[in-house]
Amino acid sequence: MDDLLAEFLAETRETLDALSGEIIAWEADPSDRGRLDAIFRFVHTVKGSCGFLDLPRFETLSHAAEDVLAELRSGTRTADAALVSAVLAIIDRIGELTEALESGAELPSGDDGLLIAALSAEANVCPITGAAPHVVQTANKAPARSIRVPLELLDRMMSGVSDMVLARNELARRLREVGAEQEVGGAFERLSTCLADMRDSITRTRMQRIEKLFSALPRMVRDTSAELGKTVDLDIDGSDVELDREMIELMRDPLTHMVRNSIDHGIENAEVRRKRGKPEAGRLSISARQSGNQIVIEIADDGNGIDEGRLVAKAIANGVITQELANALPPAARAALIFSPGVSTAEQVTAISGRGVGMDVVKSNIERIGGSIELDNRPGFGLRTTIRVPLTLTIIASLTVSAGSQSFAIPRSAIEEIVHVSSASIRIDTLGDATVATIRGRALPLLHLEHVLGTGHVDEVTGRTIVVVSAGAGLSYALCVQAVHDHEELVIKPASPAVMGAGVYGGMSLPDSGVPMLMLDAVGIAARAGIEPEEANPIAALTQDAAAETGPELTSTLLFHDLAGRRRGIRLGVVERLEDVAADRIAETAGRLRVAIDGRLLPLLGCEEGLPAGAMVKLLRLSDGASELAFAIDDVIDIVQLPPAMHHATSEGPIAGVALVQGEQVELIDVFWLFAQADAAPVREERPLCLLADAEDRWSREILRPLLEAAGYRVGFAGESVEAQADVVIAGGEPVAAGAAPVIRLRPDMAGANDGSVYRYDRMGLLAAIESQVAKRRA
Amino acid sequence: MDKLYLIATIAGQPVAIHASLVESVVDLGAVAPVPLAPPHVAGLAALRSKVLTVICCECSLGFAPTGRGTRRAVVIQLDGHHYGLVVGSIEDARVIDEPPQPIRARLEPGWARIAIGMLEYDGEALLLIDPERLIAGPDEALAA
């Protein structure tokens, strides 16, 4: 009995999938006898089986639908939109019941009587407006012979074949070693060919026709356009293209989203279309084709396209880009702004689309499966979206690279280009401890793979190769590797949690060499190396422009959001650089906020309204030529040229005045005040304590002590009560009581012993040693 | 089968693993290291078409690895992934009728984390260990 039920449910579900397209096609052409018959057969079968299986609700529903369809077949009634909706409602309910029974859930409640009443000729229940879309082409094919096989079995077959391939490789090696006879070689060749064929067909068993994805579209287009009162002709092509079944599932949401967007935002209503001289019915065409080892899915409509002006304005308003960047954007990049998070062009949020989570999610979903998405926007005439995805998830086209003594794979979809370091088109600059590669005018952060992975040190870039990797929107970097080996199609498997936990791998593969290879995750590598999207970190590129353009009248000013989110400006001349530091390196020590950078302590300003949340803090490092301080900000906006005129502040404080920047008021930071604050004397009790080990020594008391006090330290002597609070102990050769504080040894002779001691009249050396020990201790 | 144990040594200490958890015992081929992985993950090795995550048991216990020369590994499957636990040597598979006893001694932290009981065989005491905890490694234990 259970077997029978399961069989019935599976069959019903499959027929339902196939049927939804038929119904829409039938509505478009009610005289199409073939489609009416197909629908009739379905409800008839359901009715027959469920009577037998004792499923009364199924029976009532299918019975009612069968009656109506029989009337239509005999010609006593004709189909109209209301009737088709009513039949659809019945079929939907049957679908819901099927799903509930299959998952063992409680049967959904709902009055079947209402649905049945809607079928009657006099019924006037919920009239649904909008005409049905015409399905131009929906192939009516006889179902291929098939059986159901559990996926796990297919996976086992796949891994079995992979085992055989490896065994063949080993056999090939052995045969070469022993120098086998020609006949053996021939037989071996035949075996290899068979094996390759078998591998191919088993790979294909995991494939499904994209029809499975497309069959739901006519119904969706009909419902969506009816809801919006629009008329849409749907044209589907290429349903017989095959795609990995997992891929089909992953494509479902993005495709649904794109189609809804097209109908909701793209295609205009009938009135507008008439005015623009377009046919009243909008046209939506969806096609799939195979191109090499990729599947290309195109979604094209003849609607309004994307309003680029409004999109750019929205992106600026939402802080996605700045006005300057927007002005410089090429047209193609303007439409692509729709993929930025938090941008949606619809003026009103509708139930269909425009909820603000939209195209950015679509793009990231597609990129996650190794695909890409492109827009061809013709404002006023329509939008064509091209989605490319690999044939399967498990076989990924990859590039093999080596770093240190090891090989790694990089998914080819993440690679923009490969250049040799010696190529004339690139330049490599070192900025502090960071390296930038400029490739044909485009500056990219340069990473050595060995450094990212911590497997070695690279001093010399000569002879190495740069792989330009794109890790998603605006996040590209130059990955420098020892060598690039091969393009290969690799079977990628998920790695164990212990390996994935490293955060830089996307999976692993077993190439023919028999040594496992890890696949790098482009996004993980970027995160590991602390690279940020280009837009978010424009300072590097913009500084150069600004420096080149400085005129006699203008002051280069860096605009930024401070921690409270206000737009502020600071003279670029005092900004040494922009730096990200870990939040735990900031602490309130010695009476003020300080940040430990590069083994030094810098006063930290800009946090008057509280410390920033989050693990990383953006800092501007400011310098007046002699001393340095850090200023915490939220984000850099831009660099602008300002005339010296500004409205001065009414009182002394952090703000020097106000300037007008692009029509907005921007407060300019008073740099003088800032440095004056930073050098203000810290609270006395909070000064670091230097403990001098020899309380009796005259030199310590009379010479060293005043020096230390002048340098801003407290001084105590061994044996005093403050001993336990010491931040650093200064001693000569004498033994020191073991404590927690670090010890600095002084030596009386200038000639250096190599024991880390400091010559006692080396003022700079001594103060530096104390400072670094204190900084280490307090950091 | 319940009472069948695989007996091996880790850092010189004889240990027992429930044979029902063990898929096979193999000699590993080339091990590809996994940069940035926790220290007890020695790397990846191929076993036919499977890829094993190789776990250095000594590192997982928090000891400095001694037997770099050994390639013998116990293959365990956990959550769909295969692991090769590198052990010092494999003694034998034996049936031990006596049920495991609670451990009466104070163990070093590493052993205490992976041991789940004590077995008596041939007048010798064996630690019964949980391979899952070996795979988790020392970091997980700290986090827990």
Side-chain angles (χ1 to χ4, degrees):
Chain A
M1 182 65 188
D2 277 353
D3 284 355
L4 277 176
L5 182 62
E7 188 72 17
F8 163 71
L9 292 174
E11 194 180 302
T12 307
R13 184 165 36 77
E14 275 182 10
T15 329
L16 272 174
D17 285 348
L19 205 66
S20 70
E22 298 280 308
I23 296 180
I24 306 302
W26 164 63
E27 184 191 21
D29 180 11
S31 62
D32 186 335
R33 188 56 191 253
R35 297 221 154 89
L36 178 56
D37 287 347
I39 300 162
F40 181 79
R41 266 198 306 278
F42 168 70
V43 284
H44 183 76
T45 315
V46 172
K47 194 191 81 171
S49 322
C50 57
F52 178 63
L53 288 166
D54 189 25
L55 299 166
R57 279 181 77 184
F58 278 85
E59 192 176 2
T60 329
L61 287 167
S62 52
H63 193 99
E66 189 192 11
D67 284 351
V68 174
L69 292 168
E71 283 178 40
L72 292 173
R73 266 153 60 101
S74 65
T76 50
R77 270 183 85 179
T78 48
D80 56 17
L83 181 61
V84 172
S85 294
V87 174
L88 282 184
I90 297 256
I91 289 175
D92 277 352
R93 179 61 57 83
I94 292 176
E96 285 167 24
L97 292 172
T98 310
E99 224 167 82
L101 270 180
E102 253 186 327
S103 59
E106 211 164 297
L107 289 186
S109 59
D111 193 351
D112 299 338
L114 274 179
L115 295 180
I116 294 165
L119 288 172
S120 70
E122 304 80 39
N124 195 13
V125 187
C126 312
I128 292 179
T129 53
H134 306 283
V135 174
V136 177
Q137 187 261 337
T138 300
N140 200 359
K141 295 184 186 75
R145 285 199 308 144
S146 64
I147 55 160
R148 230 181 288 278
V149 177
L151 193 64
E152 197 229 325
L153 181 61
L154 292 183
D155 287 346
R156 249 179 20 229
M157 280 166 72
M158 190 75 194
S159 98
V161 169
S162 301
D163 278 347
M164 283 163 72
V165 170
L166 288 173
R168 182 209 62 184
N169 292 347
E170 187 171 355
L171 187 59
R173 261 197 307 276
R174 295 278 156 84
L175 284 178
R176 269 199 308 277
E177 276 166 27
V178 299
E181 297 164 33
Q182 199 147 21
E183 291 98 79
V184 180
F188 181 74
E189 278 309 308
R190 277 201 303 285
L191 177 72
S192 295
T193 320
C194 293
L195 199 51
D197 284 351
M198 198 164 145
R199 197 182 189 176
D200 262 10
S201 34
I202 290 178
T203 309
R204 291 222 341 256
T205 55
R206 288 174 54 93
M207 306 291 239
Q208 269 179 340
R209 287 150 63 104
I210 205 165
E211 193 176 6
K212 190 166 162 62
L213 191 57
F214 284 177
S215 63
L217 292 177
R219 174 75 193 270
M220 197 184 80
V221 170
R222 175 196 186 276
D223 289 355
T224 311
S225 52
E227 208 171 307
L228 293 163
K230 294 177 181 175
T231 320
V232 178
D233 278 352
L234 176 65
D235 181 356
I236 293 182
D237 190 26
S239 296
D240 50 354
V241 167
E242 288 189 329
L243 198 57
D244 188 275
R245 56 165 292 288
E246 268 178 86
M247 215 59 159
I248 285 190
E249 289 312 310
L250 290 167
M251 282 301 297
R252 195 179 293 276
D253 283 349
L255 188 65
T256 307
H257 200 94
M258 299 294 310
V259 168
R260 287 201 168 142
N261 260 345
S262 266
I263 301 173
D264 193 7
H265 303 315
I267 292 173
E268 312 92 331
N269 59 41
E271 199 182 325
V272 176
R273 292 183 66 87
R274 243 195 329 269
K275 276 190 201 146
R276 291 183 176 174
K278 294 182 188 178
E280 272 185 34
R283 197 173 175 77
L284 180 63
S285 73
I286 297 169
S287 68
R289 67 192 150 84
Q290 186 171 352
S291 159
N293 54 8
Q294 284 190 320
I295 296 291
V296 182
I297 299 174
E298 276 188 352
I299 303 152
D301 66 57
D302 66 346
N304 194 33
I306 297 173
D307 184 338
E308 291 174 2
R310 212 163 70 204
L311 181 64
V312 170
K314 191 82 169 280
I316 295 171
N318 291 359
V320 176
I321 54 166
T322 62
Q323 182 71 49
E324 284 66 33
L325 278 171
N327 294 344
L329 277 186
R334 292 169 147 245
L337 277 176
I338 202 156
F339 296 126
S340 316
V343 176
S344 174
T345 52
E347 266 158 14
Q348 279 186 317
V349 172
T350 66
I352 310 289
S353 52
R355 288 169 308 277
V357 291
M359 298 293 279
D360 56 323
V361 178
V362 169
K363 185 176 163 83
S364 64
N365 281 351
I366 288 174
E367 282 175 350
R368 201 162 42 219
I369 53 178
S372 67
I373 181 165
E374 269 170 51
L375 295 176
D376 175 15
N377 185 34
R378 288 165 301 136
F381 297 97
L383 176 70
R384 176 184 295 270
T385 313
T386 310
I387 300 173
R388 290 164 200 275
V389 289
L391 271 178
T392 76
L393 266 184
T394 45
I395 299 177
I396 297 181
S398 316
L399 184 74
T400 320
V401 301
S402 63
S405 52
Q406 221 177 332
S407 292
F408 296 93
I410 304 175
R412 212 148 69 195
S413 59
I415 296 175
E416 288 179 15
E417 64 175 316
I418 299 167
V419 282
H420 205 257
V421 168
S422 61
S423 155
S425 60
I426 78 163
R427 201 184 77 218
I428 292 172
D429 300 301
T430 307
L431 306 172
D433 50 0
T435 319
V436 174
T438 310
I439 302 171
R440 288 188 304 276
R442 181 176 175 209
L444 293 168
L446 181 82
L447 305 176
H448 290 289
L449 185 53
E450 291 90 336
H451 293 179
V452 178
L453 298 178
T455 53
H457 191 77
V458 180
D459 298 311
E460 187 59 55
V461 290
T462 315
R464 290 167 65 87
T465 306
I466 289 177
V467 180
V468 179
V469 177
S470 160
L475 183 58
S476 296
Y477 52 91
L479 189 66
C480 195
V481 298
Q482 200 173 319
V484 166
H485 298 290
D486 227 344
H487 283 291
E488 250 183 298
E489 306 265 315
L490 294 176
V491 179
I492 301 292
K493 295 174 179 175
S496 59
V499 173
M500 295 305 265
V504 294
Y505 304 115
M508 59 190 185
S509 177
L510 194 55
D512 290 344
S513 68
V515 180
M517 182 158 68
L518 286 155
M519 169 162 274
L520 299 172
D521 173 29
V523 180
I525 297 267
R528 174 92 199 170
I531 295 176
E532 296 191 352
E534 283 167 62
E535 290 94 319
N537 198 1
I539 190 165
L542 290 168
T543 315
Q544 291 176 345
D545 299 353
E549 287 164 15
T550 308
E553 296 287 322
L554 303 174
T555 315
S556 293
T557 304
L558 177 77
L559 295 187
F560 59 90
H561 288 292
D562 71 2
L563 291 180
R566 289 171 299 226
R567 276 159 75 95
R568 289 198 157 161
I570 191 164
R571 290 178 77 93
L572 188 62
V574 299
V575 179
E576 289 269 283
R577 61 177 132 145
L578 177 67
E579 198 148 353
D580 288 319
V581 302
D584 60 10
R585 285 162 63 183
I586 295 174
E588 179 141 5
T589 47
R592 65 153 57 252
L593 279 176
R594 289 171 204 273
V595 56
I597 300 181
D598 304 342
R600 301 174 50 191
L601 278 177
L602 299 181
L604 176 67
L605 288 100
C607 300
E608 291 71 26
E609 276 137 272
L611 277 172
M616 297 301 285
V617 182
K618 271 200 171 56
L619 297 179
L620 295 176
R621 279 176 77 163
L622 311 178
S623 167
D624 64 355
S627 55
E628 241 187 278
L629 65 87
F631 193 89
I633 60 166
D634 180 48
D635 208 354
V636 167
I637 304 171
D638 206 348
I639 289 168
V640 291
Q641 305 297 316
L642 291 186
M646 65 169 173
H647 301 271
H648 291 275
T650 51
S651 62
E652 191 189 320
I655 302 303
V658 170
L660 204 58
V661 182
Q662 293 143 19
E664 275 192 60
Q665 294 191 23
V666 172
E667 289 182 318
L668 301 177
I669 300 284
D670 188 334
V671 182
F672 185 87
W673 185 88
L674 218 52
F675 278 95
Q677 287 298 303
D679 279 345
V683 184
R684 192 178 169 79
E685 283 69 28
E686 292 284 330
R687 293 181 190 185
L689 176 71
C690 296
L691 188 79
L692 305 187
D694 190 352
E696 307 307 319
D697 180 31
R698 184 184 160 121
W699 185 82
S700 296
R701 277 197 176 276
E702 305 304 330
I703 297 176
L704 182 57
R705 181 180 174 175
L707 171 77
L708 294 174
E709 285 178 341
Y713 295 100
R714 281 187 294 153
V715 175
F717 289 93
E720 289 180 19
S721 58
V722 293
E723 192 166 359
Q725 301 164 26
D727 288 289
V728 60
V729 178
I730 299 172
E734 68 276 33
V736 176
V743 177
I744 297 172
R745 295 275 177 190
L746 300 180
R747 60 172 192 271
D749 302 311
M750 186 137 83
N754 256 345
D755 54 8
S757 63
V758 180
Y759 174 44
R760 67 181 190 172
Y761 281 114
D762 180 2
R763 175 196 287 253
M764 295 299 285
L766 175 57
L767 291 180
I770 296 174
E771 190 183 359
S772 87
Q773 293 295 351
V774 170
K776 248 189 243 165
R777 194 168 157 77
R778 299 217 158 181
Chain B
M1 190 64 185
D2 267 7
K3 291 170 180 167
L4 186 64
Y5 297 93
L6 182 77
I7 296 170
T9 62
I10 298 175
Q13 163 73 41
V15 297
I17 304 171
H18 268 292
S20 57
L21 299 173
V22 176
E23 272 198 2
S24 57
V25 172
V26 296
D27 282 329
L28 296 175
V31 177
V34 180
L36 301 179
H40 70 284
V41 176
L44 301 175
L47 172 64
R48 297 191 301 282
S49 71
K50 286 200 270 290
V51 178
L52 301 180
T53 303
V54 181
I55 302 288
C56 167
C57 291
E58 290 171 352
C59 304
S60 177
L61 285 170
F63 301 147
T66 50
R68 271 291 174 202
T70 171
R71 314 235 44 97
R72 187 144 287 194
V74 179
V75 179
I76 303 268
Q77 192 180 347
L78 177 65
D79 294 335
H81 297 286
H82 291 87
Y83 294 88
L85 309 179
V86 178
V87 295
S89 64
I90 304 281
E91 305 278 321
D92 205 350
R94 288 180 195 159
V95 175
I96 302 176
D97 284 320
E98 293 294 315
Q101 303 293 321
I103 304 163
R104 297 263 178 246
R106 208 178 119 85
L107 296 171
E108 287 167 80
W111 286 112
R113 192 169 53 74
I114 64 160
I116 46 179
M118 209 174 72
L119 288 166
E120 190 82 13
Y121 185 76
D122 255 5
E124 196 186 14
L126 298 169
L127 272 181
L128 178 63
I129 61 166
D130 179 0
E132 205 172 312
R133 297 190 197 168
L134 264 179
I135 292 166
D139 289 340
E140 302 269 331
L142 282 179

